[in-house]
Amino acid sequence: MFITFEGIEGSGKTTQIQLLKEFFEKKSLNAVFTREPGSTEVGKEIRSILLNKENKILPQTEIFLIFADRLQHVHEFIKPKLTEGKIVISDRYYDSSIAYQGQREGINKTEINDLISKLDLPTPDITFLLDLPVELGLKRAKNRASLDRFESEEIAFHEGVRQNYLDLHKQNAKRIVKIDASQNSDDIFFNILEKLKIE
Ligand code: TYD
């Protein structure tokens, strides 16, 4: 089973993934946790290029970097773990590319979808979209350490990312479960467990 978490900055993915990790450990379920970008050796280097605010990266270059990271991740980690029968939980996956890179100037979302199909990437069984107003998310994100290249984008960019996620949810209503992430974290986690149907 392949589970992914998606959302704008400050949507609380990390907290929910941590709660799920503790829950799976208690149940002795065979789960592995990972994230994008930056989960392989090559990916770590790509991540530092992507997040560095000093870098001026063309939208098309950004897409290639993200998909280079993803290809390594899928081949070195995701596919082998799924083949072993493990539950794989990823903090971000290809929906992030449609939501974020789809917001870059001159990029057509069809190009991104074409890449996803060409690279034969596994489709998640379920994706949790933690949705909340941009101002709330950014307020939370700003309480953390210094802002990275994505977090430093203006509000309009993040509004676009949120809208892209909501559109993705509409187009993939069976796979993508939208959760109100402005609730408190216990209620969010309750919603997640309810959807996973694990007792
Ligand atoms: P990270 O520090 O992991 O942030 P978060 O806690 O928000 O997940 O940074 C990852 C950043 O990379 C995040 O701002 C979104 C961006 N990103 C994309 O733009 N496209 C993608 O396909 C992925 C996986 C991430």
Side-chain angles (χ1 to χ4, degrees):
M1 170 136 119
F2 184 23
I3 305 168
T4 58
F5 280 81
E6 296 285 354
I8 59 164
E9 312 301 321
S11 56
K13 289 180 287 103
T14 316
T15 307
Q16 294 305 317
I17 290 171
Q18 185 55 36
L19 290 172
L20 198 58
K21 196 171 184 173
E22 288 160 19
F23 178 83
F24 281 158
E25 275 163 14
K26 245 191 256 158
K27 299 266 161 195
S28 303
L29 286 168
N30 228 341
V32 286
F33 289 79
T34 189
R35 68 161 183 187
E36 288 192 355
S39 280
T40 62
E41 283 309 311
V42 165
K44 278 179 202 153
E45 298 194 27
I46 298 175
R47 178 185 171 90
S48 75
I49 299 172
L50 279 167
L51 297 194
N52 185 348
K53 258 192 291 200
E54 305 299 312
N55 289 335
K56 302 271 170 287
I57 304 179
L58 291 173
Q60 201 73 43
T61 309
E62 185 173 273
I63 292 181
F64 287 136
L65 285 170
I66 296 248
F67 277 87
D69 169 74
R70 180 161 300 128
L71 203 56
Q72 287 291 132
H73 189 207
V74 163
H75 285 266
E76 283 183 31
F77 191 84
I78 298 178
K79 275 190 178 169
K81 295 295 177 194
L82 289 173
T83 307
E84 283 171 30
K86 297 232 160 76
I87 304 172
V88 177
I89 298 104
S90 186
D91 183 347
R92 298 196 181 282
Y93 188 55
Y94 60 49
D95 295 310
S96 282
S97 300
I98 298 168
Y100 282 78
Q101 280 62 57
Q103 203 46 38
R104 293 295 192 205
E105 232 180 279
I107 298 294
N108 178 337
K109 290 196 199 84
T110 318
E111 284 176 53
I112 308 171
N113 276 313
D114 285 351
L115 258 179
I116 294 171
S117 6
K118 266 193 206 120
L119 295 176
D120 192 26
L121 303 170
T123 309
D125 296 293
I126 186 161
T127 297
F128 291 106
L129 168 58
L130 303 188
D131 177 63
L132 82 174
V134 168
E135 305 84 69
L136 199 59
L138 288 182
K139 214 165 99 189
R140 286 188 191 166
K142 280 179 184 154
N143 284 333
R144 298 189 214 135
S146 65
L147 301 183
D148 65 33
R149 203 171 59 83
F150 292 97
E151 289 161 344
S152 318
E153 288 289 343
E154 46 203 57
I155 292 259
F157 176 84
H158 295 287
E159 293 283 4
V161 173
R162 182 187 186 198
Q163 191 53 53
N164 289 342
Y165 271 133
L166 293 174
D167 293 345
L168 274 168
H169 163 67
K170 272 195 205 130
Q171 294 150 10
N172 303 272
K174 260 185 129 174
R175 172 176 67 86
I176 303 180
V177 176
K178 184 176 74 135
I179 299 208
D180 174 4
S182 62
Q183 304 174 88
N184 69 52
S185 79
D186 286 351
D187 290 341
I188 299 174
F189 190 56
F190 180 79
N191 291 166
I192 292 173
L193 286 187
E194 208 177 37
K195 288 287 172 194
L196 285 177
K197 297 189 185 79
I198 301 173
E199 305 250 306

